[in-house]
Amino acid sequence: MMSGDIKGNRGESREKLNNGSIGRDQRLRARREAFGYLLWEPEEDSQFVIRTEEDLLSNRKIKLKSPRTGKIYEQKDMIFFHNSVKRADILSGPTYAEIYPTLNCNERCNFCYIGDKLTPERVQMSRTLAEKVISGLSAMGVFRVGVLGGEPFLYDDLIWMIDRLSSEGLVPSLSTNATVHKPEFWKYLIDNMIHVNIPFHSYISSVHAKIVDNPIAYGKALSKIREMIDGGNLPFVSIVACKDNVDHVPETIEFLLNEGVKHIALYHAQNTGFTKLKPENNINFNSYKQAFLRSLEISKRYSGTEIRPLTYFPFLLDAGIKYNLDINLSRFLYGTLDGRRSIYIMHDGRVLASFYDLNGKTYIGNLSENALQELWNNSLNLEFIRSLESPKVCNSCEHMDYCRGGQISNYLRDIPECPIFEPDLLAE
């Protein structure tokens, strides 16, 4: 099928809609680190560092210019965080956290990275625990918080949680399969311009249904994508490339672009959960790369669109990705994020550094026993993860600054092999 034959039902009129802001507090978050201030720019969904002296706090006339948008921020536009950790080798807290308020889900996607942990039981995070989680994340100066699952629409206090995150100045996002009928939830998310991610794995309904193991998923997901666009809150749409859909990923992306979607993420499945248990569904990196590059070419015909690669090796895609190679930032922002700038909080209070096993070191602690800052500062498992060294062969690689030796899981033999070096070299 020629790409020009793919037409969404909504036409090109959607392209006239503007993308809304994310969250409610649009102040620039500034967090003091050992190497300077780490700043968060909500309107651009990005991070950058401004090297300043302590007089940033006392000089009311100082102005900072975003290197991405050119916007000028004055001190009145900022909120400052000064955490207790001032070590040069770690951040004073995570920049991003994920909350899993329930592991109950009405789908069984064949790539799900926590698929082996899902449960039909209605076990949920209590409001008391959720309040402790949100307060802890806010106090540490965390910038973004994703709410996932399971299916978060099956969590009774979802809207309360999103509202609390927003009221604390955190930037919330939500990932949902869009199949649970709760109109009041959707109205809240659309009216409040909350960042919502909806999976849509194929423009062929039977393929999408097969991938997620839900026969009604295609129609429900497409309906909610259209509803969000009509409401002026453009959704973020995700596609996980696998054997069932990789041959027509570009056509699916063009279908979505014709529907008026502006932001699409193309995932290369993580080697954990169902993906690890069902390797027959996986594709190699080269297949993923070809699908992404074809999709990128199609997207260039549509104004204001973004096709984002989510893979272990984005630097190999030649996709115009920009990196900040400041020596103080690269070791925090690139390579593995697990335990270095990201954490995962489960419905029962467990805090994880990763969904990989990491030689049994992924468990950080439980919020029913310790405060989040204490776990971040003192966890022995986190110290182990942060101290992992890259394979020696990585040190001479031209991509080392971006890759930082691959994911730390590369060293622990838990993700697909590097497409550059031979597996036996990585084992050295």
Side-chain angles (χ1 to χ4, degrees):
M1 179 180 293
M2 297 297 291
S3 60
D5 295 333
I6 305 296
K7 295 294 181 184
N9 296 332
R10 313 297 276 182
E12 296 182 358
S13 61
R14 289 302 192 297
E15 297 191 9
K16 297 179 181 179
L17 290 172
N18 293 322
N19 189 12
S21 60
I22 300 173
R24 295 177 180 173
D25 192 333
Q26 296 298 302
R27 287 181 296 175
L28 189 70
R29 299 198 125 203
R31 197 171 76 190
R32 181 63 170 163
E33 303 288 350
F35 52 82
Y37 282 93
L38 187 67
L39 295 115
W40 168 251
E41 185 185 10
E43 67 182 47
E44 194 68 12
D45 194 28
S46 60
Q47 300 172 151
F48 57 95
V49 154
I50 301 292
R51 291 181 176 279
T52 62
E53 300 297 330
E54 290 293 343
D55 65 357
L56 179 61
L57 295 178
S58 58
N59 185 349
R60 296 288 175 179
K61 297 181 180 180
I62 195 165
K63 296 181 179 181
L64 302 178
K65 182 177 180 180
S66 164
R68 292 179 181 263
T69 66
K71 181 176 179 178
I72 301 295
Y73 291 93
E74 299 181 25
Q75 186 168 334
K76 63 181 177 62
D77 302 315
M78 303 175 195
I79 180 170
F80 291 89
F81 296 86
H82 294 263
N83 294 337
S84 59
V85 177
K86 292 296 184 291
R87 287 169 49 182
D89 59 329
I90 67 170
L91 295 177
S92 64
T95 65
Y96 174 68
E98 291 183 351
I99 303 176
Y100 292 76
T102 178
L103 293 184
N104 186 12
C105 190
N106 61 334
E107 294 186 346
R108 289 296 183 270
C109 303
N110 63 24
F111 55 81
C112 184
Y113 59 94
I114 61 169
D116 55 333
K117 300 176 179 63
L118 294 175
T119 172
E121 300 175 1
R122 285 182 52 80
V123 180
Q124 302 189 1
M125 180 178 286
S126 68
R127 279 204 182 191
T128 301
L129 176 58
E131 185 65 49
K132 185 174 184 179
V133 169
I134 294 168
S135 299
L137 293 173
S138 178
M140 292 176 74
V142 173
F143 302 130
R144 293 190 301 128
V145 179
V147 180
L148 301 92
E151 169 48 51
F153 266 58
L154 298 176
Y155 177 51
D156 295 337
D157 290 327
L158 177 63
I159 297 306
W160 171 85
M161 175 175 282
I162 296 293
D163 202 57
R164 281 291 294 117
L165 289 167
S166 296
S167 67
E168 288 287 339
L170 297 158
V171 180
S173 62
L174 176 71
S175 292
T176 172
N177 61 39
T179 64
V180 178
H181 183 68
K182 290 189 176 180
E184 69 280 10
F185 280 21
W186 284 105
K187 185 178 188 308
Y188 173 89
L189 296 172
I190 293 172
D191 290 350
N192 289 278
M193 305 303 289
I194 302 300
H195 174 137
V196 177
N197 177 76
I198 299 174
F200 192 84
H201 304 296
S202 174
Y203 77 99
I204 303 171
S205 60
S206 60
V207 175
H208 180 81
K210 178 184 177 183
I211 291 173
V212 302
D213 193 22
N214 185 345
I216 67 169
Y218 177 91
K220 294 280 189 179
L222 185 56
S223 173
K224 290 306 178 185
I225 289 171
R226 290 171 173 170
E227 183 179 336
M228 291 200 69
I229 294 173
D230 284 337
N233 183 1
L234 302 190
F236 286 64
V237 177
S238 60
I239 302 171
V240 178
C242 58
K243 283 191 175 179
D244 290 321
N245 67 358
V246 68
D247 63 327
H248 60 270
V249 161
E251 287 79 8
T252 297
I253 285 179
E254 183 159 19
F255 176 88
L256 291 167
L257 295 175
N258 281 322
E259 286 286 334
V261 175
K262 296 292 188 180
H263 305 279
I264 301 173
L266 182 60
Y267 285 77
H268 191 197
Q270 301 179 54
N271 191 35
T272 186
F274 279 169
T275 303
K276 192 171 184 178
L277 294 174
K278 303 176 181 180
E280 65 274 10
N281 296 322
N282 302 346
I283 61 171
N284 61 34
F285 176 76
N286 188 58
S287 296
Y288 169 86
K289 178 179 179 179
Q290 295 307 312
F292 174 81
L293 293 179
R294 287 174 56 207
S295 300
L296 189 63
E297 285 302 310
I298 289 173
S299 71
K300 292 177 180 178
R301 302 201 300 267
Y302 296 79
S303 62
T305 61
E306 175 192 31
I307 309 297
R308 180 180 299 181
L310 290 175
T311 171
Y312 298 115
F313 313 106
F315 44 86
L316 299 180
L317 293 175
D318 191 26
I321 302 170
K322 295 181 179 180
Y323 295 91
N324 180 353
L325 294 183
D326 186 300
I327 190 62
N328 288 306
L329 275 184
S330 59
R331 66 178 178 276
F332 300 122
L333 302 184
Y334 307 133
T336 181
L337 307 182
D338 294 344
R340 292 179 177 172
R341 59 176 274 231
S342 300
I343 56 170
Y344 310 91
I345 303 172
M346 310 309 289
H347 66 286
D348 54 4
R350 286 176 297 132
V351 183
L352 307 179
S354 174
F355 285 105
Y356 294 105
D357 179 64
L358 300 182
N359 286 352
K361 302 293 187 180
T362 187
Y363 176 72
I364 300 175
N366 197 300
L367 292 178
S368 64
E369 302 170 357
N370 301 99
L372 188 57
Q373 184 76 69
E374 181 182 354
L375 294 177
W376 181 264
N377 294 356
N378 303 318
S379 167
L380 295 178
N381 282 351
L382 273 183
E383 287 299 312
F384 167 80
I385 293 171
R386 293 162 178 161
S387 67
L388 287 172
E389 297 181 358
S390 304
K392 292 180 180 180
V393 69
C394 296
N395 294 334
S396 59
C397 179
E398 62 178 310
H399 302 289
M400 179 61 177
D401 285 333
Y402 318 126
C403 181
R404 306 304 300 176
Q407 299 283 330
I408 50 174
S409 303
N410 235 347
Y411 190 67
L412 299 172
R413 317 297 295 168
D414 202 18
I415 71 165
E417 304 295 352
C418 173
I420 299 177
F421 293 120
E422 296 297 325
D424 59 334
L425 290 178
L426 281 176
E428 291 181 0

